[in-house]
Amino acid sequence: MANKRNAAIFAALIVAAVAGILVWRPTVIIYGLQAAGLYASIAIPMGLILGIVHIVNLAHGEFMMVAAYLTYMVCTALGIDPFVAMIPVALVTALVGFIVYKLTIRQALKAPELNQLILTFGLAISLTQLANLLFTSQTRKMSFGYVSASLSIGELSFGVYNFVFVAIAVLMVIGLRLFLTRTTAGKAALAVGQNPKGAAIVGIDVDKTYGLVFALATGMVGMMGAIFITRSSIFPAVGSPFTMKSFCLIAMAGIGNIPGILGASVLLGISENFLKAFRETRGWADIVFFVLIITVILGRSIKGKKA
Amino acid sequence: MILEVKKLQTGYGKLQVLRGVDLCVGKESVGLFGPNGAGKTTLINAIMGIVKPWSGAIEFEGKSIAGQATHLVARSGIALVPQERELFPGLSVADNLELGAVYVPRGKAIKAQQLEIVLELFPILKERIKQYVGTLSGGQQRMVAIARALMANPALLILDEPSLGLQPSIVAEVFDRLSILKKDIAILVTEQNVRESLKAIDRGYVMENGAIVIEDTAKGLATNPHVLSAYLGI
Ligand SMILES: Nc1ncnc2c1ncn2[C@@H]1O[C@H](COP(=O)(O)OP(=O)(O)OP(=O)(O)O)[C@@H](O)[C@H]1O
Ligand SMILES: [Mg+2]
């Protein structure tokens, strides 16, 4: 009872806050949602890996960076659009992910969690340095007309292109949900995530499932790398803040809660853009995720103590 | 012979648990008894490929399965109801049962029929078919574990303490059902509840300290003085 009432009050407060900001600074909500879409669509594959393989992949954003460079090379060489390159890039990244899983992650699955973190952190550094060697630290950019598409409603004028990421994030959640709950392979993946020993007992190849889930997730983040380069310039360290933010969003949503990543992303995107709306607080926007993660973890441990 | 274990030795790390176990199961129902820590679960783990054998042989339908990966052992036709159930708590009863069948060729072939049979065996599961397994009671989860194993249409069904956590009336029921099943499947069952299980088995072994100390028919075991005093409290 009390819990339900608290939740209702909390929801009402959020709705009121959002409505307030919407009237006062509409762009905070618009750009907040767009940022949320980008954050969520990058974080969701990382959440998938954590939920099923139980590995925190600290090289997640770096996989996106690698895919972005791959897209850059392919698109400049062949003169094609990243949205065309996105599928082959995703497939190649998935393959790279699968090989990385087989060669490294797999060996560390039974090791203590700290070893796994060090391993994926090492992977992240290696990928970044590799990009540094191959492409130097100079930023690369591709320009496309459609990115500057904008919409005017009365006085208000804003870019609409980044809503693409909102659509992708929502499609990812729906697609994963259908895959995990409606297909045998998806159910088997969930079963492996929930109880690997039980899964092996019924004949599921646990190692293969881990490998395929890892490949699927790296393929998804590879696709994001291809789309990422349409809106942002890239450089070897471009992935690292996305690793951190994705990790923060997954922690906020809770392990295995993929739709929750959407909600967490909206909170992060709007908070960041709220701070960016004022000159005095603009510099603080990049550490919002840090404050959010601390709040959520503190909140959860206090709740855990009460229960 | 469906299952043949010969001179099996294994353990965990440096700790030896099984010290040369010989055991076989034909088209029959076989009990495996012994005190806590005797090594019953370890023997089952070795058969299923969950722990690797140190030495000795394990043959299933004439082929060696010693050291094979667990999922391959399962696919070849051995289904296990583990002592700790090992279900998928966040999946529905229906999904847990389906996953019991689809990765085992001989189960997948007759999935629909098999589902009817297990739901007839455990009617309560029919009522709870859409419920998450994690929200079922311990006894109901035990039934899901047995039903999931049956979905594989196994040639050999291994049950590790199937009556653990079940109320006495249900225990009697479970053994009733096992008696029905044993007409079609070879069964290997470990049990603390020796009295009930003696009614359902043809033959049995007593394991102590990692070795088989008695092997006899159910009748023989029921009158064996050591079994009477140590396991039946007479
Ligand atoms: N995972 C493990 N790691 C280390 N030692 C283990 C492990 N599992 C079991 N053992 C040890 O192996 C021995 C045999 O255990 P096992 O579980 O096979 O006994 P059991 O006959 O099944 O007993 P119970 O009736 O209590 O189920 C015990 O001494 C136990 O401490
Ligand atoms: Mg045991």
Side-chain angles (χ1 to χ4, degrees):
Chain A
M1 249 334 266
N3 232 335
K4 239 184 197 162
R5 202 175 54 211
N6 283 345
I9 292 174
F10 192 63
L13 276 178
I14 289 183
V15 170
V18 169
I21 302 171
L22 192 56
V23 172
W24 177 48
R25 287 281 159 99
T27 52
V28 168
I29 300 286
I30 291 166
Y31 292 138
L33 284 178
Q34 293 179 344
L38 178 67
Y39 292 151
S41 45
I42 295 172
I44 286 165
M46 189 181 185
L48 180 67
I49 293 179
L50 182 62
I52 290 174
V53 192
H54 300 296
I55 284 264
V56 174
N57 180 15
L58 291 181
H60 188 68
E62 282 70 16
F63 275 110
M64 181 186 83
M65 175 273 294
V66 169
Y69 272 104
L70 188 62
T71 311
Y72 178 81
M73 287 193 303
V74 171
C75 292
T76 46
L78 303 179
I80 56 174
D81 191 274
F83 280 94
V84 178
M86 135 184 128
I87 300 289
V89 165
L91 290 176
V92 170
T93 330
L95 183 67
V96 172
F98 189 73
I99 293 169
V100 165
Y101 169 80
K102 283 283 178 198
L103 293 183
T104 64
I105 309 278
R106 183 188 163 183
Q107 323 296 332
L109 281 178
K110 293 215 172 79
E113 271 152 33
L114 184 62
N115 296 31
Q116 302 172 355
L117 284 179
I118 293 171
L119 170 68
T120 59
F121 188 56
L123 267 175
I125 295 174
S126 312
L127 292 175
T128 309
Q129 288 314 317
L130 188 69
N132 237 332
L133 283 176
L134 293 177
F135 301 101
T136 73
S137 59
Q138 181 203 337
T139 62
R140 316 273 165 147
K141 181 148 182 57
M142 300 183 77
S143 302
F144 302 95
Y146 53 74
V147 175
S148 49
S150 69
L151 190 69
S152 302
I153 304 175
E155 297 274 282
L156 188 67
S157 168
F158 54 90
V160 290
Y161 172 70
N162 286 327
F163 277 121
V164 148
F165 295 100
V166 177
I168 293 173
V170 172
L171 284 178
M172 275 184 179
V173 169
I174 296 173
L176 275 180
R177 187 167 177 81
L178 289 178
F179 169 64
L180 292 173
T181 60
R182 301 283 169 85
T183 69
T184 302
K187 287 175 191 175
L190 280 182
V192 167
Q194 289 170 20
N195 187 344
K197 188 175 169 194
I201 285 169
V202 298
I204 299 171
D205 188 339
V206 174
D207 180 51
K208 189 171 136 197
T209 307
Y210 283 157
L212 291 180
V213 167
F214 201 84
L216 172 67
T218 37
M220 285 166 76
V221 84
M223 183 188 88
M224 291 314 298
I227 306 177
F228 184 76
I229 199 171
T230 59
R231 74 180 283 275
S232 305
S233 44
I234 57 168
F235 45 95
V238 74
S240 132
F242 287 95
T243 302
M244 286 302 129
K245 285 181 185 177
S246 297
F247 181 56
C248 151
L249 294 171
I250 294 165
M252 283 167 71
I255 293 173
N257 180 3
I258 291 191
I261 294 174
L262 283 184
S265 303
V266 170
L267 191 61
L268 177 62
I270 291 184
S271 314
E272 279 186 1
N273 279 279
F274 182 74
L275 292 181
K276 277 188 194 158
F278 308 98
R279 199 182 321 124
E280 299 78 16
T281 54
R282 196 162 291 163
W284 294 85
D286 282 337
I287 60 156
V288 170
F289 81 92
F290 213 65
V291 176
L292 280 177
I293 195 171
I294 291 173
T295 315
V296 166
I297 289 174
L298 273 182
R300 219 175 263 151
S301 50
I302 290 167
K303 219 162 128 193
K305 247 181 223 153
K306 270 194 206 151
Chain B
M1 270 308 134
I2 302 220
L3 178 75
E4 215 163 347
V5 176
K6 291 176 213 155
K7 299 206 175 70
L8 183 68
Q9 303 201 33
T10 190
Y12 304 92
K14 285 201 174 116
L15 171 76
Q16 179 162 14
V17 177
L18 299 186
R19 302 160 200 283
V21 171
D22 291 281
L23 171 147
C24 60
V25 184
K27 277 211 181 318
E28 59 183 336
S29 172
V30 171
L32 177 61
F33 309 109
N36 295 126
K40 304 180 296 293
T41 300
T42 304
L43 172 59
I44 291 171
N45 284 344
I47 296 170
M48 289 304 295
I50 297 166
V51 302
K52 303 291 169 221
W54 293 355
S55 68
I58 308 171
E59 281 174 15
F60 174 62
E61 294 183 324
K63 284 185 220 97
S64 168
I65 55 164
Q68 226 174 53
T70 304
H71 68 275
L72 296 177
V73 175
R75 288 177 190 183
S76 71
I78 305 182
L80 169 65
V81 181
Q83 190 166 346
E84 308 295 337
R85 301 189 298 251
E86 312 290 357
L87 298 168
F88 312 121
L91 294 179
S92 66
V93 172
D95 286 344
N96 269 267
L97 296 184
E98 189 191 347
L99 287 172
V102 285
Y103 285 92
V104 181
R106 44 184 296 152
K108 191 178 179 189
I110 56 162
K111 190 172 79 168
Q113 278 160 271
Q114 208 65 3
L115 183 64
E116 253 175 58
I117 295 173
V118 303
L119 291 182
E120 220 167 277
L121 232 49
F122 300 106
I124 182 87
L125 298 184
K126 201 172 196 164
E127 291 165 32
R128 305 296 173 101
I129 196 83
K130 292 214 170 106
Q131 202 169 321
Y132 284 139
V133 161
T135 66
L136 297 177
S137 78
Q140 291 167 338
Q141 292 191 17
R142 182 72 57 194
M143 295 180 208
V144 177
I146 299 174
R148 183 183 73 177
L150 288 174
M151 287 298 292
N153 180 30
L156 172 65
L157 174 65
I158 302 180
L159 302 106
D160 199 356
E161 317 229 356
S163 73
L164 197 72
L166 292 179
Q167 69 193 58
S169 62
I170 306 266
V171 171
E173 229 176 284
V174 165
F175 281 107
D176 253 12
R177 280 161 199 175
L178 287 185
S179 314
I180 302 172
L181 285 173
K182 78 177 183 195
K183 291 187 198 104
D184 310 312
I185 322 177
I187 294 177
L188 176 63
V189 55
T190 80
E191 255 308 320
Q192 301 291 334
N193 194 332
V194 179
R195 194 182 306 274
E196 277 297 335
S197 47
L198 278 179
K199 294 181 198 162
I201 62 167
D202 303 312
R203 258 176 353 104
Y205 295 84
V206 176
M207 179 187 268
E208 280 171 14
N209 234 322
I212 302 292
V213 293
I214 305 174
E215 175 190 351
D216 208 339
T217 60
K219 257 200 205 114
L221 288 174
T223 53
N224 183 303
H226 181 70
V227 175
L228 282 175
S229 67
Y231 301 101
L232 294 171
I234 297 172

